[in-house]
Amino acid sequence: MDDEKIVYSKGCLDSVRSYRVEFSLGVAGSTAITSVFKIIAILLALYLSHTLKQQRGYGDV
């Protein structure tokens, strides 16, 4: 067995911190994309509701 020592340039704490930052950016990005899709879905639902009320007289009191 060799007595060579391995010297690491990055410690455990630095590795965990960089992983945490990368993971947080991924979560934030996916949350933003999901929010955009939900807003689009809400706008389309409102447009559909408005169109149905105009064409078929739904909601007339």
Coordinates of all heavy atoms in Angstrom, one line a residue:
M1 N 0.8 -1.2 0.0 CA 0.0 0.0 0.0 C 0.9 1.2 0.0 O 1.8 1.3 0.8 CB -0.9 0.0 1.2 CG -2.0 1.0 1.2 SD -3.1 0.7 2.5 CE -4.6 0.6 1.6
D2 N 0.6 2.2 -0.8 CA 1.4 3.4 -0.9 C 1.0 4.4 0.2 O -0.2 4.5 0.6 CB 1.1 4.1 -2.3 CG 1.7 3.3 -3.4 OD1 2.7 2.5 -3.2 OD2 1.2 3.4 -4.5
D3 N 1.9 5.2 0.6 CA 1.7 6.2 1.6 C 1.4 7.6 1.0 O 1.7 8.6 1.6 CB 2.8 6.2 2.6 CG 2.9 5.0 3.5 OD1 1.8 4.4 3.7 OD2 3.9 4.7 4.0
E4 N 0.9 7.6 -0.2 CA 0.7 8.9 -0.9 C -0.6 9.5 -0.2 O -1.6 8.8 0.0 CB 0.4 8.7 -2.4 CG 1.6 8.2 -3.1 CD 1.3 8.0 -4.6 OE1 0.3 8.5 -5.0 OE2 2.1 7.3 -5.2
K5 N -0.5 10.8 -0.1 CA -1.6 11.5 0.5 C -2.4 12.2 -0.6 O -1.8 12.9 -1.5 CB -1.2 12.5 1.6 CG -0.5 11.8 2.7 CD -0.5 12.7 3.9 CE 0.2 11.9 5.0 NZ -0.2 12.2 6.3
I6 N -3.7 12.2 -0.5 CA -4.5 12.9 -1.5 C -4.9 14.2 -0.9 O -5.5 14.2 0.2 CB -5.7 12.1 -1.9 CG1 -5.3 10.8 -2.5 CG2 -6.6 12.8 -2.8 CD1 -6.4 9.8 -2.8
V7 N -4.7 15.3 -1.6 CA -5.1 16.6 -1.1 C -6.3 17.1 -1.9 O -6.2 17.2 -3.1 CB -3.9 17.6 -1.2 CG1 -4.4 19.0 -0.7 CG2 -2.7 17.1 -0.4
Y8 N -7.4 17.4 -1.2 CA -8.6 17.9 -1.9 C -8.6 19.4 -1.8 O -8.3 20.0 -0.8 CB -9.8 17.3 -1.2 CG -9.9 15.8 -1.4 CD1 -9.6 14.9 -0.4 CD2 -10.4 15.2 -2.6 CE1 -9.7 13.6 -0.5 CE2 -10.5 13.9 -2.7 CZ -10.2 13.0 -1.7 OH -10.3 11.7 -1.9
S9 N -9.0 20.0 -2.9 CA -9.0 21.4 -3.0 C -10.4 22.0 -2.5 O -10.5 23.2 -2.2 CB -8.8 21.9 -4.4 OG -9.8 21.5 -5.2
K10 N -11.4 21.1 -2.4 CA -12.7 21.6 -1.9 C -13.2 20.7 -0.8 O -13.1 19.5 -0.9 CB -13.7 21.4 -3.1 CG -15.0 22.1 -3.0 CD -15.7 22.1 -4.3 CE -17.0 22.9 -4.2 NZ -17.8 22.8 -5.4
G11 N -13.6 21.3 0.3 CA -14.0 20.6 1.5 C -15.5 20.2 1.4 O -16.2 20.6 0.5
C12 N -15.9 19.4 2.4 CA -17.3 19.0 2.4 C -18.3 20.1 2.5 O -19.3 20.1 1.9 CB -17.5 18.0 3.6 SG -16.5 16.5 3.5
L13 N -18.0 21.1 3.4 CA -18.9 22.2 3.6 C -19.1 23.0 2.3 O -20.2 23.4 1.9 CB -18.4 23.1 4.7 CG -19.3 24.3 5.1 CD1 -20.6 23.7 5.6 CD2 -18.6 25.1 6.2
D14 N -18.0 23.2 1.6 CA -18.1 23.9 0.3 C -18.9 23.1 -0.7 O -19.7 23.7 -1.5 CB -16.7 24.2 -0.3 CG -15.9 25.2 0.5 OD1 -16.6 26.0 1.2 OD2 -14.7 25.1 0.5
S15 N -18.7 21.8 -0.7 CA -19.5 21.0 -1.7 C -21.0 21.0 -1.3 O -21.8 21.1 -2.2 CB -19.0 19.5 -1.6 OG -17.7 19.4 -2.1
V16 N -21.3 20.9 -0.1 CA -22.7 21.0 0.3 C -23.4 22.3 0.0 O -24.5 22.4 -0.5 CB -22.9 20.6 1.8 CG1 -24.3 20.9 2.3 CG2 -22.5 19.2 2.1
R17 N -22.6 23.4 0.2 CA -23.1 24.7 -0.1 C -23.4 24.9 -1.5 O -24.4 25.5 -2.0 CB -22.2 25.8 0.4 CG -22.3 26.0 1.9 CD -21.3 27.1 2.4 NE -21.4 27.3 3.8 CZ -20.6 27.9 4.5 NH1 -19.5 28.5 3.9 NH2 -20.7 28.1 5.8
S18 N -22.5 24.5 -2.4 CA -22.7 24.6 -3.8 C -23.8 23.7 -4.3 O -24.6 24.2 -5.2 CB -21.4 24.3 -4.6 OG -21.1 22.9 -4.5
Y19 N -24.0 22.6 -3.7 CA -25.1 21.7 -4.1 C -26.4 22.4 -3.7 O -27.4 22.4 -4.5 CB -25.0 20.3 -3.5 CG -26.2 19.4 -3.7 CD1 -26.4 18.8 -5.0 CD2 -27.1 19.2 -2.8 CE1 -27.5 18.0 -5.2 CE2 -28.2 18.4 -3.0 CZ -28.4 17.9 -4.2 OH -29.5 17.1 -4.5
R20 N -26.4 23.0 -2.5 CA -27.7 23.6 -2.0 C -28.0 24.8 -3.0 O -29.2 24.9 -3.3 CB -27.4 24.1 -0.6 CG -28.7 24.7 0.0 CD -28.4 25.2 1.4 NE -27.4 26.3 1.3 CZ -26.9 26.9 2.4 NH1 -27.1 26.4 3.6 NH2 -26.0 27.8 2.2
V21 N -27.1 25.5 -3.4 CA -27.4 26.7 -4.3 C -27.9 26.2 -5.6 O -28.9 26.7 -6.1 CB -26.1 27.5 -4.5 CG1 -26.3 28.5 -5.6 CG2 -25.8 28.2 -3.2
E22 N -27.3 25.1 -6.2 CA -27.7 24.6 -7.5 C -29.1 24.0 -7.3 O -30.0 24.2 -8.2 CB -26.8 23.5 -7.9 CG -25.4 24.0 -8.4 CD -24.4 22.9 -8.7 OE1 -24.8 21.8 -8.8 OE2 -23.2 23.3 -8.8
F23 N -29.4 23.3 -6.2 CA -30.7 22.7 -6.0 C -31.8 23.8 -5.9 O -32.9 23.7 -6.4 CB -30.7 21.8 -4.8 CG -32.0 21.1 -4.5 CD1 -32.4 20.1 -5.3 CD2 -32.8 21.6 -3.4 CE1 -33.6 19.4 -5.0 CE2 -34.0 20.9 -3.2 CZ -34.4 19.9 -4.0
S24 N -31.4 24.9 -5.1 CA -32.4 26.0 -4.9 C -32.7 26.7 -6.2 O -33.9 27.0 -6.4 CB -31.8 27.0 -3.9 OG -31.6 26.4 -2.7
L25 N -31.7 26.8 -7.1 CA -32.0 27.5 -8.4 C -32.9 26.6 -9.2 O -33.8 27.1 -9.9 CB -30.7 27.7 -9.1 CG -29.8 28.8 -8.5 CD1 -28.5 28.9 -9.3 CD2 -30.5 30.2 -8.5
G26 N -32.8 25.3 -9.2 CA -33.6 24.4 -9.9 C -35.1 24.5 -9.4 O -36.0 24.5 -10.2
V27 N -35.2 24.5 -8.1 CA -36.6 24.6 -7.5 C -37.2 25.9 -7.9 O -38.4 26.0 -8.2 CB -36.5 24.4 -6.0 CG1 -37.8 24.7 -5.3 CG2 -36.1 22.9 -5.7
A28 N -36.5 27.0 -7.8 CA -37.0 28.3 -8.1 C -37.4 28.4 -9.6 O -38.4 28.9 -9.9 CB -36.0 29.4 -7.8
G29 N -36.6 27.8 -10.4 CA -36.9 27.8 -11.9 C -38.1 27.1 -12.2 O -39.0 27.5 -13.0
S30 N -38.2 25.9 -11.6 CA -39.4 25.1 -11.9 C -40.7 25.7 -11.3 O -41.8 25.6 -11.9 CB -39.2 23.6 -11.4 OG -39.1 23.6 -10.0
T31 N -40.6 26.3 -10.2 CA -41.7 27.0 -9.6 C -42.2 28.2 -10.5 O -43.4 28.4 -10.7 CB -41.3 27.6 -8.2 OG1 -40.9 26.5 -7.4 CG2 -42.5 28.3 -7.5
A32 N -41.2 28.9 -11.0 CA -41.5 30.1 -11.9 C -42.2 29.6 -13.1 O -43.3 30.2 -13.6 CB -40.3 30.9 -12.2
I33 N -41.7 28.5 -13.7 CA -42.4 28.0 -15.0 C -43.8 27.5 -14.7 O -44.7 27.7 -15.4 CB -41.5 26.9 -15.6 CG1 -40.2 27.5 -16.1 CG2 -42.2 26.1 -16.6 CD1 -39.1 26.5 -16.5
T34 N -43.9 26.8 -13.6 CA -45.3 26.3 -13.2 C -46.2 27.4 -13.0 O -47.4 27.4 -13.4 CB -45.2 25.4 -11.9 OG1 -44.3 24.4 -12.2 CG2 -46.5 24.8 -11.5
S35 N -45.8 28.5 -12.3 CA -46.6 29.7 -12.1 C -47.1 30.3 -13.4 O -48.2 30.7 -13.5 CB -45.9 30.7 -11.2 OG -45.5 30.2 -10.0
V36 N -46.2 30.4 -14.3 CA -46.5 31.0 -15.6 C -47.6 30.1 -16.3 O -48.6 30.7 -16.8 CB -45.3 31.1 -16.6 CG1 -45.7 31.4 -18.0 CG2 -44.3 32.2 -16.0
F37 N -47.5 28.8 -16.3 CA -48.5 28.0 -16.9 C -49.8 28.1 -16.2 O -50.9 28.1 -16.8 CB -48.0 26.5 -16.9 CG -47.0 26.2 -18.0 CD1 -45.8 25.6 -17.7 CD2 -47.3 26.5 -19.3 CE1 -44.9 25.3 -18.7 CE2 -46.4 26.2 -20.3 CZ -45.2 25.6 -20.0
K38 N -49.8 28.2 -14.9 CA -51.1 28.4 -14.1 C -51.7 29.7 -14.5 O -53.0 29.8 -14.6 CB -50.8 28.3 -12.6 CG -50.5 26.9 -12.2 CD -50.3 26.8 -10.7 CE -50.1 25.4 -10.2 NZ -50.0 25.3 -8.8
I39 N -51.0 30.8 -14.6 CA -51.5 32.1 -15.0 C -52.2 32.0 -16.4 O -53.3 32.5 -16.6 CB -50.5 33.2 -14.9 CG1 -50.1 33.4 -13.4 CG2 -50.9 34.5 -15.5 CD1 -48.9 34.3 -13.2
I40 N -51.5 31.3 -17.3 CA -52.0 31.2 -18.6 C -53.3 30.4 -18.6 O -54.3 30.7 -19.2 CB -51.0 30.5 -19.6 CG1 -49.9 31.5 -19.8 CG2 -51.7 30.1 -20.9 CD1 -48.7 30.9 -20.6
A41 N -53.4 29.3 -17.8 CA -54.6 28.5 -17.6 C -55.8 29.3 -17.1 O -56.9 29.2 -17.5 CB -54.3 27.3 -16.8
I42 N -55.5 30.2 -16.1 CA -56.5 31.0 -15.5 C -57.0 32.0 -16.5 O -58.3 32.2 -16.6 CB -56.0 31.8 -14.2 CG1 -55.8 30.8 -13.1 CG2 -56.9 32.9 -13.8 CD1 -55.0 31.3 -11.9
L43 N -56.1 32.6 -17.3 CA -56.6 33.6 -18.3 C -57.4 32.9 -19.4 O -58.4 33.5 -19.8 CB -55.3 34.3 -18.9 CG -54.6 35.2 -18.0 CD1 -53.3 35.7 -18.7 CD2 -55.5 36.4 -17.6
L44 N -57.0 31.7 -19.8 CA -57.8 31.0 -20.8 C -59.2 30.6 -20.2 O -60.2 30.6 -21.0 CB -57.1 29.7 -21.2 CG -55.9 30.0 -22.1 CD1 -55.1 28.7 -22.4 CD2 -56.3 30.6 -23.5
A45 N -59.3 30.2 -19.0 CA -60.6 29.9 -18.3 C -61.4 31.1 -18.3 O -62.7 31.0 -18.5 CB -60.3 29.3 -16.9
L46 N -60.9 32.3 -18.0 CA -61.7 33.5 -17.9 C -62.1 33.9 -19.3 O -63.3 34.3 -19.5 CB -60.8 34.7 -17.3 CG -60.6 34.6 -15.8 CD1 -59.6 35.6 -15.4 CD2 -61.9 34.7 -15.1
Y47 N -61.3 33.7 -20.3 CA -61.7 34.0 -21.7 C -62.8 33.0 -22.1 O -63.8 33.5 -22.8 CB -60.5 33.8 -22.6 CG -60.8 34.1 -24.1 CD1 -61.1 35.3 -24.6 CD2 -60.9 33.0 -25.0 CE1 -61.5 35.5 -25.9 CE2 -61.2 33.2 -26.3 CZ -61.5 34.5 -26.7 OH -61.9 34.7 -28.0
L48 N -62.7 31.8 -21.8 CA -63.8 30.8 -22.1 C -65.1 31.2 -21.5 O -66.1 31.1 -22.1 CB -63.3 29.4 -21.7 CG -64.4 28.3 -22.0 CD1 -64.7 28.1 -23.4 CD2 -63.9 27.0 -21.4
S49 N -65.0 31.5 -20.2 CA -66.2 32.0 -19.5 C -66.9 33.2 -20.1 O -68.1 33.2 -20.3 CB -65.9 32.3 -18.0 OG -66.9 32.8 -17.4
H50 N -66.0 34.1 -20.5 CA -66.5 35.4 -21.1 C -67.2 35.0 -22.5 O -68.3 35.5 -22.8 CB -65.4 36.4 -21.3 CG -65.8 37.6 -22.0 ND1 -66.5 38.6 -21.4 CD2 -65.5 38.0 -23.3 CE1 -66.7 39.6 -22.3 NE2 -66.1 39.2 -23.4
T51 N -66.5 34.2 -23.2 CA -67.1 33.8 -24.6 C -68.4 33.1 -24.4 O -69.3 33.3 -25.2 CB -66.0 32.9 -25.3 OG1 -64.8 33.6 -25.4 CG2 -66.5 32.6 -26.7
L52 N -68.5 32.1 -23.5 CA -69.7 31.4 -23.3 C -70.9 32.3 -22.9 O -72.0 32.2 -23.3 CB -69.6 30.3 -22.3 CG -68.7 29.1 -22.7 CD1 -68.5 28.1 -21.6 CD2 -69.4 28.4 -23.9
K53 N -70.6 33.3 -22.0 CA -71.6 34.2 -21.6 C -72.1 35.0 -22.7 O -73.3 35.3 -22.9 CB -71.1 35.1 -20.5 CG -71.0 34.5 -19.2 CD -70.4 35.5 -18.1 CE -70.3 34.8 -16.8 NZ -69.7 35.7 -15.8
Q54 N -71.2 35.4 -23.6 CA -71.7 36.3 -24.8 C -72.4 35.5 -25.8 O -73.4 35.9 -26.3 CB -70.4 36.9 -25.5 CG -69.9 38.1 -24.7 CD -68.8 38.7 -25.5 OE1 -68.2 38.1 -26.4 NE2 -68.5 40.0 -25.2
Q55 N -72.0 34.3 -26.1 CA -72.6 33.5 -27.2 C -73.9 32.8 -26.8 O -74.8 32.8 -27.6 CB -71.6 32.4 -27.7 CG -70.5 33.1 -28.5 CD -69.6 32.0 -29.1 OE1 -69.7 30.8 -28.8 NE2 -68.6 32.4 -29.8
R56 N -73.9 32.3 -25.6 CA -75.1 31.5 -25.2 C -76.0 32.2 -24.2 O -77.0 31.6 -23.7 CB -74.7 30.2 -24.7 CG -73.9 29.4 -25.8 CD -73.7 28.0 -25.3 NE -73.0 27.3 -26.4 CZ -72.4 26.1 -26.3 NH1 -72.5 25.5 -25.1 NH2 -71.9 25.5 -27.3
G57 N -75.6 33.3 -23.7 CA -76.4 34.0 -22.7 C -76.3 33.4 -21.3 O -77.2 33.7 -20.5
Y58 N -75.3 32.7 -21.0 CA -75.1 32.2 -19.7 C -74.9 33.3 -18.7 O -74.2 34.3 -19.0 CB -73.9 31.2 -19.6 CG -74.1 29.9 -20.3 CD1 -73.1 29.3 -21.1 CD2 -75.3 29.2 -20.1 CE1 -73.3 28.1 -21.7 CE2 -75.5 28.0 -20.7 CZ -74.5 27.4 -21.5 OH -74.7 26.2 -22.1
G59 N -75.4 33.2 -17.6 CA -75.1 34.2 -16.5 C -76.1 35.4 -16.7 O -75.9 36.3 -15.9
D60 N -77.0 35.4 -17.6 CA -77.9 36.5 -17.7 C -78.9 36.4 -16.6 O -79.5 35.4 -16.3 CB -78.6 36.5 -19.0 CG -77.7 36.9 -20.2 OD1 -76.7 37.6 -19.9 OD2 -78.0 36.6 -21.3
V61 N -79.2 37.5 -15.9 CA -80.1 37.5 -14.8 C -81.3 38.4 -15.2 O -81.3 39.3 -15.9 CB -79.5 38.1 -13.5 CG1 -80.5 38.1 -12.4 CG2 -78.3 37.2 -13.2

